[in-house]
Amino acid sequence: MAKIGLTEGFTLIPEGTHVFKITEVNYKEDFGKMEVVMQTAKGQKHIERFSLLNKDGEPNQGGLNAFSYFAKTALDDFTVKDIDDQELVGHFIRCEVEHEEVESNKTPGKMLKFARLGDKEAAVGFDEEEAAPAAPKQQSKPAKQESKKPAAFDLGSLLG
């Protein structure tokens, strides 16, 4: 009989500061709906959604302001006036993740938890402590341990 691998299921990104890489952008121009798919160094995904148009088809100034700040921060360029939505793919953004609990619209009395992104700033890549898997903790030993420094080399001999 074949075995099927199971996932760990959906888990919210923990509260705290995280660096995200923008991996995909989906823009439905006719509806003014923007979805920015992002991923942490550990592979957890988050989708940030922006409504750029109101129901009447007019620009949603609040949504445009929020997206503009997000895009300019991710691009690390606050002088840009307009962008192609795909320009965001591959850029990194550092955000403070906060959890918000709200009551379900569909099931009164049921509480839902969402991850909200605040305090955004540009990032050039994943933070080292997030990207590296956590090392198992070991008991410290009183004996001296040799440092494992990389061997020195002459850059001129490599280039010359």
Side-chain angles (χ1 to χ4, degrees):
M1 184 165 16
K3 291 197 176 208
I4 300 169
L6 302 177
T7 66
E8 291 182 28
F10 174 79
T11 58
L12 278 180
I13 294 171
E15 288 187 315
T17 303
H18 298 277
V19 174
F20 295 89
K21 180 178 183 180
I22 299 171
T23 58
E24 185 180 338
V25 177
N26 301 307
Y27 180 42
K28 295 179 182 172
E29 190 173 3
D30 293 342
F31 303 104
K33 301 293 182 191
M34 172 78 66
E35 287 186 344
V36 180
V37 180
M38 301 179 293
Q39 187 170 332
T40 66
K42 294 178 181 175
Q44 291 180 296
K45 289 190 178 185
H46 175 79
I47 300 174
E48 195 71 357
R49 292 178 173 88
F50 301 93
S51 294
L52 305 180
L53 296 177
N54 292 322
K55 292 183 190 240
D56 62 4
E58 293 296 313
N60 173 5
Q61 201 58 50
L64 285 167
N65 289 345
F67 175 70
S68 294
Y69 181 76
F70 178 89
K72 289 176 179 184
T73 301
L75 295 172
D76 197 18
D77 183 357
F78 282 84
T79 64
V80 69
K81 299 292 181 209
D82 56 20
I83 64 165
D84 178 280
D85 57 306
Q86 296 305 304
E87 287 180 56
L88 293 172
V89 175
H91 286 270
F92 292 84
I93 188 166
R94 180 178 288 107
C95 305
E96 183 69 28
V97 176
E98 300 166 347
H99 292 172
E100 180 181 359
E101 225 174 307
V102 295
E103 188 173 2
S104 170
N105 292 339
K106 297 177 183 176
T107 312
K110 181 178 180 182
M111 298 304 286
L112 304 173
K113 195 179 279 192
F114 294 95
R116 302 281 182 221
L117 303 183
D119 292 340
K120 298 167 184 71
E121 62 183 63
V124 293
F126 290 121
D127 291 340
E128 271 188 44
E129 58 270 7
E130 279 193 321
K137 292 185 179 183
Q138 297 178 354
Q139 294 286 354
S140 61
K141 297 179 183 177
K144 285 175 75 175
Q145 293 183 352
E146 280 188 40
S147 68
K148 294 185 179 183
K149 292 182 181 176
F153 61 90
D154 180 14
L155 185 58
S157 68
L158 292 175
L159 298 174

